[in-house]
Amino acid sequence: MPSSQDRSSRQLNLEELHQFKWVLGGVMALLSLWTVARLDVDLGVIPLVSLVIVITAMVNSALPGKLSPLAWKGGVFLIVAVFLFDLVTGEIIRALVRLDLLLILYRTIQYRRKREDLQLIVLCLFVTVVAGVLTVSLFFAIQILLYTVCAMCFLFVINLIETVESGGKKVGRRWTRIPFRRFLRRLIEVFDLRLAGFAAMLFLIVVIISTVLFLSIPRFQIQNPIAFLNIRQDRTLTGFSENINLGEVTEITRDDRIAMRVDVSPADAIPMIPYWRMVVLDEYTHGSFRISNTINTEVGMKSYPTREIHEDWNLRERFRIEGTGDTVRWVFYLEGGISRFLPLIGNFDRLVFKEPQELVVNEHFRILSTAKQNPLLTSFQVEGMDTSGRMSDPELADYDFESKRPPPLRNLGPPPPVGRRSMRYPYTLLTTPGGEKNDVILTGAVREIVRGDSLTAVEFSRRAVAWLGAHHHYSLTVRLPPDIHDRDPVIRWLETDSPGHCEFFAAGFILLSRKAGFPARAVTGFKGGSWNAYEAYYMVRNSDAHAWCEVLGEDGVWFRVDPTPGASGGMLGGLAAAAPVRLPVDTSLNAYVDSLRMLWYRQIVSFDENSQDAVVKGVQNFGRDTMVGAWGMTESVVRTTLNWIRSPWNWRRYLSIALAVGLVFLFVLGFRRLDLGWTDFRQILRRRIEPSRLRAGQHLKRLNRESESPTDGKHIQLIGDLQRIRYGLRASWPNTREVFHRARRSRS
């Protein structure tokens, strides 16, 4: 066992403590840079430049000392200039994050005193928390835990240095040359398992306190969110906007990242192939679909600041098919940057957001969107969702498209001039490309489909889907022949046998349907998905992006038609769908990783007052069950003991009791013969120190207390023998039993 002098060599000296503090500061800065990697804010080259400079300064710690004081002062002015420029040209949150990164860089590569070290801790904490709040990422949990460990070690080393230097000992800048191999060996040498255990216990206490605070702090709904935390988000997937061009939805399918997660139980509430409606587009112009200006500005788009929508908004009575709704609760988690339009299968009874939203309601197309693009996660709950794929539209049920004489639609206004009639809703539902060549091709295709029969909307849809499938097959790549007559691209595609993706099939079907006199519109969103087997929820990826159609039947009901043959789900036509036996289940490693993220959403991100009530009730039930179980166990033990005492006593029982008492007596006697006590027994179990050394230390403490300056020769010799046992090598020990015997007899 090493002596106290030996143990002192296992401690870091002041120079090594400074080196350790420098490395910990660099690690903390690198953790902060990691947190902003997933932040959807344009930070320029600052994170990359900071990463390179911090690593360089960590490896070559003498490099910052070579910079002149003028360079350090110039760095301060540069940081201020960049911050002011960001304030003038960009958003406040972007300017603050960039400023914080520059300050972290400045403090990390600078030789720091205690005040600067504490500033570095606060700066790193700020950017870590801001990045976690803005990204709502599962990695935030890992990052904040790693930061806490690093910050606790950093504070511990700072206080050690301050304690040593308070005694007048200084090292100057000698520590700036860090031999990393020797430094790592020294860290391994001084590693103390007891100190690590104490640090782990302290960290566990911090985590427990943080968890208790998280569970107990009241939740408030902020009606007016903090303005500077609202990032302006211009990025959206263009296939899910008010204006799409052919190929934009297909471009989304090349991205395999998760777009949204749907928490629903039971799983059979989800249709075998769900169609998640997001955007409905009525106006078509030369390869481009858009929401017509009539809808955007005059008819259906109204903005409501709300957190909840009920059936009294006429979302149910006017547009639901009777008997098609359910009572299942759906919870949606839509990733940021996907679209401001909400994915819904159909109409609903009630929709609730986690936080108040500026909601835009399109009552004619039955679509909802937020007023602004949300860069963060959007979560909302839906009850009573209609999954039939059919939607009643009383306003168009009696519409006479032939004479263009509509019933009195709200806010429709007077009929438009004849030349502009086709570009105003609902006339846009029958608009086809103009031009004689386009009309000839489209009319010929419709004649080939109809074959002179009088067809309903459903019958025509079946034949048109079959006609498209016979002339074209599915492909993500579309190559149209060159055109010198400026014909419509969809008409050119219909004229050929070229393959096409879902947008060409949807656009082709819409033009055929409109030419035949059946109102039709395009729908973009997601089709299908997969069931996560680990956390029991539905995953929808960007690769599930899809385009399909809705056709207005004679009964005033919109029904879904998917004319794309065999595209990632195999729903041929959407009218007589060959549904799979069950939902596709994902058990891959990626699904497991995503299930952790869903667990984060459920337990942390979506933790509200209802979750608090559930936790409180769970704790109360657990406490009640524990008390009942403990009382029952106590009663059982007491009852068993009383029954044992009251039962007849015989020689076997007496013999068993005698043997037990004898074993305890022998155990205690053996320890006393070895001059060991209960404290020694505990030390043996903990394997901290040899019992003989511990016993010698106890005798030394008693002798020093009884006689501060002994003069008796035997007394002095006894103290010397005890000191050799306590601090010396085992080879130099005297007879321990004889020494301890003399020590016991010397008690006054």
Side-chain angles (χ1 to χ4, degrees):
M1 191 75 179
S3 64
S4 59
Q5 293 83 1
D6 296 331
R7 288 198 306 272
S8 64
S9 64
R10 294 183 56 190
Q11 299 175 355
L12 294 177
N13 56 40
L14 184 58
E15 181 178 335
E16 292 167 340
L17 285 174
H18 275 285
Q19 293 172 348
F20 193 28
K21 186 188 75 168
W22 179 261
V23 173
L24 284 175
V27 172
M28 204 156 50
L30 293 177
L31 282 175
S32 302
L33 294 174
W34 177 32
T35 61
V36 301
R38 298 176 61 86
L39 194 61
D40 197 7
V41 178
D42 183 15
L43 301 176
V45 298
I46 290 180
L48 180 60
V49 172
S50 300
L51 177 66
V52 174
I53 295 177
V54 168
I55 294 177
T56 303
M58 287 178 62
V59 174
N60 189 357
S61 55
L63 189 61
K66 298 179 181 179
L67 297 177
S68 63
L70 183 62
W72 292 109
K73 293 180 180 179
V76 174
F77 286 107
L78 179 62
I79 292 174
V80 173
V82 171
F83 177 63
L84 294 177
F85 177 78
D86 289 341
L87 280 180
V88 174
T89 60
E91 298 172 336
I92 297 179
I93 188 63
R94 175 178 179 271
L96 288 176
V97 173
R98 283 165 59 92
L99 173 65
D100 193 87
L101 292 179
L102 291 174
L103 290 176
I104 290 174
L105 173 62
Y106 187 83
R107 281 289 176 242
T108 304
I109 65 174
Q110 188 183 41
Y111 298 142
R112 303 178 298 272
R113 295 168 295 179
K114 182 178 180 180
R115 182 181 63 183
E116 287 82 6
D117 288 326
L118 297 179
Q119 290 174 359
L120 180 60
I121 292 176
V122 174
L123 291 170
C124 293
L125 178 62
F126 174 81
V127 73
T128 302
V129 172
V130 168
V133 170
L134 294 181
T135 58
V136 200
S137 172
L138 173 63
F139 286 102
F140 173 66
I142 302 174
Q143 291 162 350
I144 196 66
L145 290 176
L146 292 177
Y147 170 82
T148 303
V149 173
C150 192
M152 291 175 62
C153 296
F154 194 58
L155 286 170
F156 179 69
V157 174
I158 290 172
N159 289 317
L160 280 180
I161 293 175
E162 184 183 28
T163 302
V164 175
E165 290 184 342
S166 63
K169 188 176 181 181
K170 304 288 182 180
V171 294
R173 296 287 176 82
R174 297 197 307 269
W175 63 268
T176 56
R177 300 278 184 182
I178 303 179
F180 275 93
R181 289 187 178 180
R182 179 181 175 277
F183 178 68
L184 291 176
R185 284 199 303 268
R186 287 286 294 147
L187 289 180
I188 296 174
E189 290 175 3
V190 303
F191 178 77
D192 191 337
L193 190 60
R194 291 174 296 177
L195 183 61
F198 175 77
M201 185 184 303
L202 184 61
F203 174 73
L204 183 61
I205 292 174
V206 171
V207 172
I208 292 174
I209 293 175
S210 302
T211 304
V212 172
L213 290 176
F214 173 79
L215 295 176
S216 59
I217 291 177
R219 262 56 182 178
F220 301 99
Q221 294 297 336
I222 302 176
Q223 299 297 330
N224 296 309
I226 303 174
F228 76 84
L229 286 180
N230 292 332
I231 304 175
R232 184 176 67 250
Q233 178 61 270
D234 298 325
R235 181 182 68 87
T236 182
L237 300 183
T238 54
F240 302 136
S241 60
E242 299 94 333
N243 192 344
I244 66 168
N245 297 315
L246 293 174
E248 290 181 348
V249 174
T250 304
E251 190 64 29
I252 300 174
T253 62
R254 304 181 190 276
D255 182 4
D256 198 45
R257 290 177 296 179
I258 298 292
M260 71 171 180
R261 300 162 183 85
V262 184
D263 203 353
V264 58
S265 180
D268 56 11
I270 301 178
M272 290 300 140
I273 300 182
Y275 282 77
W276 313 92
R277 299 172 81 246
M278 295 182 72
V279 189
V280 178
L281 310 108
D282 61 315
E283 183 177 320
Y284 175 79
T285 306
H286 200 75
S288 176
F289 278 99
R290 62 188 297 268
I291 298 177
S292 59
N293 290 330
T294 309
I295 295 296
N296 273 326
T297 61
E298 299 178 24
V299 181
M301 305 297 281
K302 298 179 180 179
S303 176
Y304 300 90
T306 184
R307 181 172 177 260
E308 189 169 336
I309 295 181
H310 294 275
E311 60 183 6
D312 56 4
W313 283 51
N314 291 327
L315 291 181
R316 180 183 182 186
E317 289 83 350
R318 295 165 57 208
F319 291 90
R320 180 188 292 278
I321 307 297
E322 289 300 325
T324 55
D326 57 34
T327 58
V328 178
R329 185 174 65 177
W330 308 63
V331 181
F332 289 77
Y333 302 93
L334 181 65
E335 289 292 328
I338 299 298
S339 177
R340 64 186 185 88
F341 291 89
L342 305 183
L344 298 167
I345 295 180
N347 290 313
F348 53 85
D349 288 338
R350 182 171 176 261
L351 185 146
V352 183
F353 286 96
K354 180 176 174 57
E355 297 176 351
Q357 299 283 344
E358 187 75 18
L359 194 65
V360 179
V361 180
N362 186 325
E363 296 184 13
H364 287 273
F365 291 167
R366 318 311 305 139
I367 57 176
L368 301 175
S369 65
T370 54
K372 296 180 180 179
Q373 173 69 33
N374 191 352
L376 309 179
L377 177 78
T378 301
S379 62
F380 57 94
Q381 177 180 303
V382 179
E383 296 177 2
M385 183 112 77
D386 179 2
T387 61
S388 67
R390 293 163 57 82
M391 190 173 299
S392 177
D393 195 341
E395 290 187 338
L396 296 181
D398 300 323
Y399 192 89
D400 187 357
F401 285 95
E402 292 293 333
S403 61
K404 305 290 192 300
R405 293 177 183 173
L409 291 182
R410 185 177 50 212
N411 297 330
L412 185 61
V418 177
R420 298 175 54 193
R421 184 171 292 177
S422 62
M423 303 311 292
R424 188 183 182 105
Y425 183 83
Y427 314 123
T428 51
L429 298 174
L430 284 175
T431 301
T432 56
E436 181 180 355
K437 294 185 179 298
N438 290 329
D439 189 69
V440 169
I441 297 173
L442 202 56
T443 302
V446 171
R447 287 175 179 172
E448 187 177 343
I449 294 172
V450 175
R451 297 193 296 272
D453 298 331
S454 178
L455 303 178
T456 64
V458 173
E459 293 170 344
F460 176 82
S461 299
R462 293 183 185 277
R463 291 193 185 185
V465 169
W467 186 88
L468 288 171
H471 288 76
H472 307 274
H473 64 271
Y474 181 81
S475 174
L476 291 176
T477 304
V478 179
R479 293 184 177 88
L480 294 178
D483 181 58
I484 60 175
H485 302 291
D486 194 27
R487 289 179 299 174
D488 184 87
V490 177
I491 301 295
R492 290 159 51 201
W493 179 75
L494 289 173
E495 186 182 18
T496 66
D497 292 335
S498 301
H501 44 66
C502 62
E503 293 153 271
F504 271 95
F505 278 95
F509 177 87
I510 289 172
L511 296 186
L512 292 172
S513 178
R514 290 179 177 181
K515 193 63 179 177
F518 301 106
R521 60 194 184 188
V523 185
T524 61
F526 296 104
K527 173 186 175 182
S530 59
W531 185 260
N532 189 294
Y534 299 100
E535 279 296 320
Y537 64 95
Y538 203 72
M539 300 185 302
V540 180
R541 302 179 180 274
N542 288 325
S543 55
D544 296 318
H546 194 53
W548 62 95
C549 316
E550 289 179 347
V551 180
L552 184 65
E554 292 77 8
D555 55 354
V557 175
W558 291 96
F559 59 89
R560 182 180 62 239
V561 178
D562 186 356
T564 305
S568 64
M571 191 172 187
L572 301 178
L575 298 172
V581 178
R582 62 187 182 90
L583 292 175
V585 178
D586 193 344
T587 59
S588 64
L589 178 61
N590 290 334
Y592 176 75
V593 174
D594 191 76
S595 69
L596 299 179
R597 187 178 181 90
M598 187 61 174
L599 193 64
W600 170 260
Y601 286 157
R602 286 173 173 170
Q603 305 299 330
I604 304 298
V605 177
S606 297
F607 192 86
D608 53 12
E609 60 272 16
N610 295 328
S611 303
Q612 283 184 320
D613 293 339
V615 170
V616 171
K617 291 179 181 177
V619 172
Q620 291 175 345
N621 294 335
F622 175 77
R624 182 172 58 253
D625 295 342
T626 302
M627 292 295 295
V628 171
W631 181 255
M633 185 179 298
T634 304
E635 285 185 335
S636 176
V637 171
V638 171
R639 190 182 304 109
T640 303
T641 304
L642 291 176
N643 293 336
W644 183 79
I645 294 174
R646 292 168 182 169
S647 61
W649 287 64
N650 50 31
W651 65 271
R652 292 181 179 177
R653 178 174 293 187
Y654 287 111
L655 180 61
S656 300
I657 295 175
L659 288 176
V661 173
L663 289 175
V664 173
F665 176 77
L666 291 176
F667 182 79
V668 175
L669 181 63
F671 258 72
R672 298 305 299 172
R673 292 287 296 173
L674 294 174
D675 204 44
L676 299 175
W678 173 245
T679 304
D680 304 316
F681 181 68
R682 286 189 301 169
Q683 297 298 330
I684 292 173
L685 293 179
R686 295 179 181 180
R687 299 179 181 179
R688 291 178 57 186
I689 188 172
E690 295 181 56
S692 297
R693 292 185 187 273
L694 182 66
R695 177 62 62 189
Q698 292 173 347
H699 284 304
L700 283 172
K701 188 181 296 184
R702 177 181 60 80
L703 292 173
N704 291 333
R705 193 168 53 245
E706 293 175 355
S707 177
E708 296 183 358
S709 55
T711 57
D712 183 33
K714 292 183 178 180
H715 199 71
I716 294 175
Q717 182 181 1
L718 175 61
I719 291 177
D721 292 339
L722 290 172
Q723 286 178 342
R724 278 194 293 166
I725 296 174
R726 178 66 180 86
Y727 303 110
L729 300 175
R730 288 189 65 91
S732 65
W733 284 7
N735 189 316
T736 55
R737 180 176 297 182
E738 188 270 333
V739 172
F740 291 152
H741 179 70
R742 284 190 288 130
R744 285 195 303 271
R745 296 188 61 181
S746 67
R747 292 180 179 179
S748 57

